Amino acid sequence: MLFLHNYTDSTQRVAHWGREIARAIGLPEEKAEEVYFGGILHDIGKIGIEDQILNKRGKLTPEEYDKIKQHTVIGYEIILQAGMFHELLPAIRSHHERIDGKGYPDGLVGEEIPLMARILAISDAFDAMVADRPYRKGLPVEEALQEISRGAGTQFDAELAYHFIRIIRQLPRDELETIIRQDAQPQRHLQEVAR
C-alpha cells in the first residue's frame, strides 16, 4: 500500500511538471495533455516489481536495480495489451533513456528518444530528487536544479532542461513547495486517465 500511495503522489507531480515543460516549448494544449497523461502512467510497470524491492530502505543490489529497470518494458507491455492509450507508449517505455545513449531499455540516442519521453525524463528525475523517499529526505530544490543542469546534453535534452529550470525558478517558493509536498488526489486523476 505504501508503494501505491507514493506512486500516485509521484506520478501526479511528474505529470504536472511534464505538462508545464510541454506548454513552455509551445506544444498545442492537446499534446501537453498527452504529456500529462503519459506522466500519470509512466511508471505503471512498477506494479510488476516486487514490493520489497520498491519499498527497500537501503541501497539496491545490482540484481534489484536490474529488476527495477524492467518496469519500462513491463508498463509498455501492459498498455500495449490493454489496447488503449497507445499514444502514451513512448512515455512509458522510454522515460529512462538518456541523450547520450546510456539509458534503458533500448539505448536510444538524442532525438531517437520520443519528445514526450525526453520531457518526462526531466520531470521524473526532478521529482525523484526533491521528494522524500522511505530511505532518504528529498534534496533542496536548488541542488536538484544543479543536477538537471549538469545532466543537460548527456542525460537530458539540453533545451528542455533549460526550460524546466526556468519554470521552477520563476515559481513563487511557497507554490513550488506546495506542489512538491502535495498529497495527491489519485482517484480523480486516475479517473481522468480512464475517460
Side-chain angles (χ1 to χ4, degrees):
M1 203 54 144
L2 173 65
F3 163 66
L4 182 59
H5 177 73
N6 288 340
Y7 172 78
T8 55
D9 288 352
S10 175
T11 59
Q12 184 180 6
R13 291 186 302 264
V14 170
H16 169 80
W17 296 126
R19 181 170 55 194
E20 292 302 305
I21 296 169
R23 288 173 173 164
I25 64 171
L27 289 185
E29 192 59 25
E30 176 184 310
K31 291 295 180 188
E33 288 303 311
E34 278 184 15
V35 172
Y36 178 84
F37 291 120
I40 293 290
L41 290 177
H42 79 285
D43 271 349
I44 194 166
K46 286 186 177 177
I47 64 173
I49 308 298
E50 296 91 342
D51 284 345
Q52 65 268 24
I53 294 174
L54 292 174
N55 297 323
K56 186 173 179 179
R57 293 187 179 271
K59 186 173 167 70
L60 295 175
T61 66
E63 295 78 21
E64 289 168 335
Y65 183 59
D66 284 341
K67 285 186 180 181
I68 287 277
K69 290 185 347 184
Q70 293 173 14
H71 80 277
T72 57
V73 175
I74 293 169
Y76 179 88
E77 292 298 328
I78 288 169
I79 297 301
L80 196 62
Q81 295 298 319
M84 59 177 74
F85 306 127
H86 282 169
E87 70 278 8
L88 307 181
L89 288 172
I92 295 162
R93 185 178 184 98
S94 301
H95 67 277
H96 284 290
E97 297 289 357
R98 292 174 48 117
I99 294 298
D100 61 10
K102 295 179 181 175
Y104 62 89
D106 301 309
L108 302 177
V109 177
E111 292 192 6
E112 291 176 355
I113 305 166
L115 177 60
M116 183 186 298
R118 284 183 276 143
I119 289 171
L120 292 172
I122 295 169
S123 58
D124 187 37
F126 178 75
D127 186 67
M129 287 187 272
V130 299
D132 292 340
R133 296 291 193 239
Y135 50 89
R136 63 148 177 83
K137 289 288 285 175
L139 293 176
V141 168
E142 193 53 41
E143 199 172 322
L145 293 180
Q146 288 170 9
E147 287 296 318
I148 298 284
S149 182
R150 275 193 284 276
T154 55
Q155 183 173 355
F156 308 115
D157 180 299
E159 181 184 350
L160 297 176
Y162 163 79
H163 283 288
F164 180 72
I165 291 167
R166 185 175 51 79
I167 290 164
I168 298 298
R169 289 195 172 139
Q170 287 178 347
L171 270 181
R173 180 60 73 192
D174 59 335
E175 186 178 338
L176 178 61
E177 288 300 320
T178 298
I179 294 167
I180 290 171
R181 306 288 173 234
Q182 73 182 340
D183 257 351
Q185 296 173 355
Q187 282 70 29
R188 181 170 61 86
H189 291 285
L190 292 176
Q191 287 168 357
E192 288 175 11
V193 170
R195 285 188 195 150

